[in-house]
């Protein structure tokens, strides 16, 4: 064999794959570190070139990555999108197209010392210049409030786009703007039916419960906050003015201090929607006032079934959900809601006992609501130490805490006007509210809606006659 033939044989061996080794084109790799293409040993150079060109063509094709975020409030998603964009690209404004400019919205992310903290977030169409001007479309459903993110990019960025949308999900799970805060829930005005407002819970220092009730709440409600994943449903029932709302808000403040999220639902019709979204925020409490507004009577309407299905549903179990309900009319509650298993604890907030009522009055006579009354130490208004509280107890009516509080406010006002605090003045404050107490005891007379409608129609049809349609004896 000539030297020329020997050299040609060696060259063919280099360019041809080894018969013992199978070469796969997918093993061609690009090294970011060395900015070079790595070709498998044994792959012919011409085939490597063809494969590189084919890969390049494939990576130049367009693709779309779609991701939705159901169960998360739209403002939460927009904030997480901004945080993720900052960490991924270093900017968030992005370059918009001439026709489609991104929209911006100020989102409250926290409240510090009573002042809201805002973050300017975006949605709409934006361009991602780092990915060769890929387009990111952020849409919010006007009906459901669900955020959808669609990224149109070249195939080579598909994995990065998927990782980016998953990064947003991770941000929601770990750094939600609502997790661990108190949220007032009202009817949505922009997207979906829920609007979240971060609030600071301020306890009313003048709310004092009867000691037996306070002990039961601490033992069966406060103690369990954040400790277990069991679902609990608590009902607080009483007449008007005994501090149901203030009591639950104080529970909410304790829940926040233990890392829970607390939802205060102002609209009863939003209750089931909140129960759907709440488990996303870990251990949480949901507070609804006046449950009898949407679940009352013997029958089972759609609202009753929705509530029961949500409370019984799998998605509300083992997530640390605590539900707090209040009612002024426990007798109206649907029987299906009353049974054990639906209501775990029922707390009856009765009128303050004489001892509790005196403590409420004394609270209003302190120079500071944060300091106890200690005669002789200047923490009370002058004259308080001379009041015969036993005589006051004997004169106090059996009435709600709001009336007792009003007595305390009047005493404080009279003292500010220069009147001397003494037993007589306290008794006068009690007597001054006798009219309101009597009025509160009056039965409420309701006008029968059908009779009222008949009278209204009759007045219009027979307005030229002498018939007296307002005479109830006819």
């Amino acid at each position: 064999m000539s030297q020329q033939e020997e050299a040609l044989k060696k060259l063919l061996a280099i360019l041809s794959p080894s018969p013992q080794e199978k070469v796969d084109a997918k093993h061609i790799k690009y090294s970011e570190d060395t900015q070079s293409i790595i070709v498998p040993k044994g792959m012919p150079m011409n085939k490597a070139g063809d494969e590189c060109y084919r890969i390049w063509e494939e990576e130049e094709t367009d693709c779309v990555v779609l991701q939705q975020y159901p169960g998360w409030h739209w403002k939460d998603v927009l904030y997480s999108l901004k945080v993720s964009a900052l960490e991924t690209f270093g900017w968030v404004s992005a370059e918009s197209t001439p026709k489609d400019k991104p929209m911006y919205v100020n989102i409250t992310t926290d409240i510090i010392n009573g002042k809201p903290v805002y973050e300017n977030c975006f949605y709409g169409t934006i361009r991602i210049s780092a990915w060769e001007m890929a387009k990111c479309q952020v849409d919010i459903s006007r009906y459901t409030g669900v955020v959808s993110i669609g990224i149109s990019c070249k195939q080579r960025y598909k994995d990065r786009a998927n990782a980016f949308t998953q990064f947003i999900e991770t941000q929601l799970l770990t750094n939600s703007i609502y997790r661990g805060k108190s949220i007032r829930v009202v009817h949505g005005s922009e997207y979906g039916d829920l609007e979240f407002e971060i609030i600071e819970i301020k306890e009313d220092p003048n709310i004092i419960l009867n000691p037996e009730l306070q002990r039961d709440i601490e033992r069966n409600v406060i103690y369990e906050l954040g400790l277990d994943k069991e679902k609990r449903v608590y009902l607080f029932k009483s007449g008007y003015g005994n501090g149901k709302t203030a009591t639950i808000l104080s529970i909410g403040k304790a829940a926040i201090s233990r890392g829970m999220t607390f939802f205060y639902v102002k609209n009863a019709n939003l209750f089931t929607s909140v129960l759907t979204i709440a488990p996303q925020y870990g251990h949480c409490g949901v507070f609804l006032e006046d449950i009898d507004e949407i679940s009352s009577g013997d029958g089972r309407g759609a609202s009753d079934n929705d509530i029961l299905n949500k409370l019984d549903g799998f998605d509300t179990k083992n997530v640390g959900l605590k539900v707090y309900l209040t009612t002024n009319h426990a007798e109206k509650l649907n029987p299906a809601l009353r049974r054990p298993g639906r209501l775990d604890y029922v707390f009856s907030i009765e009128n303050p006992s004489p001892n509790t009522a005196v403590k409420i009055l004394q609270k209003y006579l302190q120079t500071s609501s944060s300091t106890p009354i200690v005669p002789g130490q200047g923490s009370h208004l002058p004259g308080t130490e001379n009041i015969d509280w036993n005589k006051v107890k004997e004169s106090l009516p059996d009435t709600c805490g709001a009336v007792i509080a009003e007595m305390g406010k009047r005493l404080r006002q009279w003292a500010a006007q220069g009147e001397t605090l003494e037993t007589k003045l306290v008794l006068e404050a009690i007597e001054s509210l006798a009219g309101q107490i009597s009025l509160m005891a009056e039965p409420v007379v309701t006008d029968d809606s059908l009779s009222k409608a008949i009278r209204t129609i009759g007045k219009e049809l027979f307005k030229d006659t002498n018939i007296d349609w307002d005479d109830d004896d006819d």
Side-chain angles (χ1 to χ4, degrees), residues 53 85 102 143 146 185 202 313 348 354 391 404 411 441:
Y53 183 77
Y143 300 103
V146 173
V185 184
K202 295 182 179 180
S348 180
K391 191 170 183 178
I404 304 297
L411 277 172

Side-chain angles (χ1 to χ4, degrees), residues 7 29 34 91 142 152 168 202 206 209 301 363 380:
K29 298 187 182 300
T34 62
W91 42 256
R142 188 164 294 277
S152 301
I168 296 172
K202 295 182 179 180
N206 298 314
L209 302 177
K363 197 76 172 174
H380 61 289

Side-chain angles (χ1 to χ4, degrees), residues 176-468:
S176 161
I177 59 176
Y178 298 120
R179 185 184 293 270
K181 296 186 178 74
S182 52
I183 314 298
R184 181 191 290 117
V185 184
V186 297
H187 200 282
S189 59
E190 295 181 88
Y191 302 103
D193 59 354
L194 299 180
E195 182 64 36
F196 286 2
E197 300 173 356
I198 300 175
I199 61 174
E200 277 187 324
I201 296 178
K202 295 182 179 180
E203 291 185 82
D204 186 345
N206 298 314
I207 295 293
I208 301 176
L209 302 177
N210 290 325
E212 300 81 5
L213 175 62
Q214 184 66 46
R215 184 175 61 251
D216 285 345
I217 291 174
E218 291 175 355
R219 176 191 297 167
N220 299 308
V221 182
I222 302 294
Y223 177 79
E224 292 187 348
L225 293 175
L227 293 181
D228 61 65
K229 292 187 176 182
E230 291 295 322
K231 179 191 66 184
R232 292 281 187 267
V233 181
Y234 308 95
L235 176 68
F236 293 76
K237 66 184 184 74
S238 78
Y240 296 96
N242 272 330
K244 296 184 296 296
T245 297
T247 297
I248 297 178
L249 288 179
S250 69
I251 294 172
K253 189 167 185 177
I256 298 301
S257 69
R258 300 188 186 185
M260 295 177 64
T261 308
F262 185 76
F263 295 93
Y264 181 10
V265 185
K266 298 290 290 183
N267 186 326
N269 294 320
L270 303 178
F271 182 52
T272 54
S273 297
V274 176
L275 289 180
T276 299
I277 200 172
Q280 297 274 36
Y281 295 92
H283 286 237
C284 64
V286 177
F287 169 30
L288 173 67
E289 289 183 292
D290 302 322
I291 180 63
D292 49 273
E293 288 186 1
I294 55 174
S295 181
S296 61
D298 294 331
R300 289 273 294 271
S303 61
D304 296 299
N305 288 329
D306 286 345
I307 292 171
L308 298 177
N309 289 338
K310 281 297 178 186
L311 291 177
D312 294 341
F314 179 77
D315 54 348
T316 61
K317 295 181 178 179
N318 300 316
V319 292
L321 175 65
K322 314 298 181 188
V323 179
Y324 310 98
L325 308 172
T326 69
T327 180
N328 295 315
H329 303 285
E331 74 281 359
K332 294 182 179 181
L333 288 180
N334 191 293
L337 182 63
R338 299 185 195 184
R339 68 171 178 79
R342 297 261 168 75
L343 295 178
D344 296 291
Y345 293 93
V346 177
F347 299 99
S348 180
I349 304 183
E350 306 293 345
N351 290 340
S353 67
N355 285 335
T356 302
V358 164
K359 289 179 180 179
I360 295 173
L361 288 175
Q362 290 175 337
K363 197 76 172 174
Y364 280 94
L365 300 183
Q366 293 177 197
T367 54
S368 170
S369 61
S370 62
T371 57
I373 293 178
V374 181
Q377 293 189 13
S379 60
H380 61 289
L381 298 178
T384 305
E385 67 277 9
N386 298 321
I387 295 174
D388 185 346
W389 291 110
N390 287 324
K391 191 170 183 178
V392 170
K393 286 181 190 178
E394 295 173 358
S395 302
L396 281 169
D398 181 15
T399 188
C400 65
V403 173
I404 304 297
E406 181 59 29
M407 295 174 188
K409 292 175 185 177
R410 293 188 182 188
L411 277 172
R412 193 175 188 90
Q413 179 184 354
W414 294 345
Q417 294 171 1
E419 298 194 45
T420 302
L421 274 175
E422 56 185 354
T423 305
K424 179 183 176 183
L425 196 66
V426 179
L427 299 181
E428 288 177 6
I430 295 172
E431 183 60 29
S432 72
L433 281 156
Q436 282 91 335
I437 295 173
S438 176
L439 181 61
M440 290 168 60
E442 291 287 340
V444 177
V445 178
T446 58
D447 191 7
D448 180 78
S449 57
L450 178 58
S451 298
K452 186 177 180 180
I454 292 174
R455 283 200 298 272
T456 301
I457 296 171
K459 285 180 182 180
E460 185 63 29
L461 292 177
F462 303 99
K463 57 186 176 182
D464 296 327
T465 70
N466 294 322
I467 300 176
D468 185 1

Side-chain angles (χ1 to χ4, degrees), residues 33-207:
D33 296 332
T34 62
Q35 298 287 295
S36 59
I37 297 173
I38 301 173
V39 178
K41 180 181 179 181
M43 175 174 282
M45 292 297 103
N46 59 341
K47 186 175 181 181
D50 291 343
E51 278 301 314
C52 286
Y53 183 77
R54 183 190 65 76
I55 293 171
W56 176 82
E57 279 192 322
E58 183 179 293
E59 289 182 344
E60 283 295 301
T61 60
D62 294 329
C63 69
V64 177
V65 173
L66 296 173
Q67 183 67 45
Q68 288 189 328
Y69 300 90
W72 296 100
H73 193 273
W74 64 272
K75 290 182 180 179
D76 216 354
V77 180
L78 293 190
Y79 177 76
S80 294
L81 168 63
K82 178 177 181 177
V83 172
S84 301
L86 275 171
E87 295 195 23
T88 304
F89 309 116
W91 42 256
V92 294
S93 58
E95 182 181 351
S96 65
T97 64
K99 293 183 179 180
D100 298 312
K101 294 183 179 180
M103 305 294 291
Y104 293 90
V105 57
N106 263 335
I107 294 175
T108 303
T109 60
D110 204 351
I111 293 183
I112 300 177
N113 297 325
K115 296 182 179 180
V117 178
Y118 297 104
E119 197 70 48
N120 198 23
C121 300
F122 60 84
Y123 64 100
T125 304
I126 58 174
R127 291 286 180 177
I128 305 176
S129 56
W131 292 349
E132 298 184 45
M133 299 303 291
K135 185 173 78 170
C136 179
Q137 182 69 36
V138 184
D139 294 317
I140 311 169
S141 170
R142 188 164 294 277
Y143 300 103
T144 65
V146 173
V147 176
S148 302
I149 295 179
I151 300 176
S152 301
C153 60
K154 293 182 178 180
Q155 190 73 27
R156 67 169 62 92
Y157 298 109
K158 183 177 181 179
D159 289 344
R160 298 186 202 178
N162 277 316
F164 179 66
T165 59
Q166 291 303 311
F167 188 33
I168 296 172
E169 181 82 25
T170 301
Q171 286 293 325
L172 285 166
L173 291 170
T174 57
N175 297 308
S176 161
I177 59 176
Y178 298 120
R179 185 184 293 270
K181 296 186 178 74
S182 52
I183 314 298
R184 181 191 290 117
V185 184
V186 297
H187 200 282
S189 59
E190 295 181 88
Y191 302 103
D193 59 354
L194 299 180
E195 182 64 36
F196 286 2
E197 300 173 356
I198 300 175
I199 61 174
E200 277 187 324
I201 296 178
K202 295 182 179 180
E203 291 185 82
D204 186 345
N206 298 314
I207 295 293

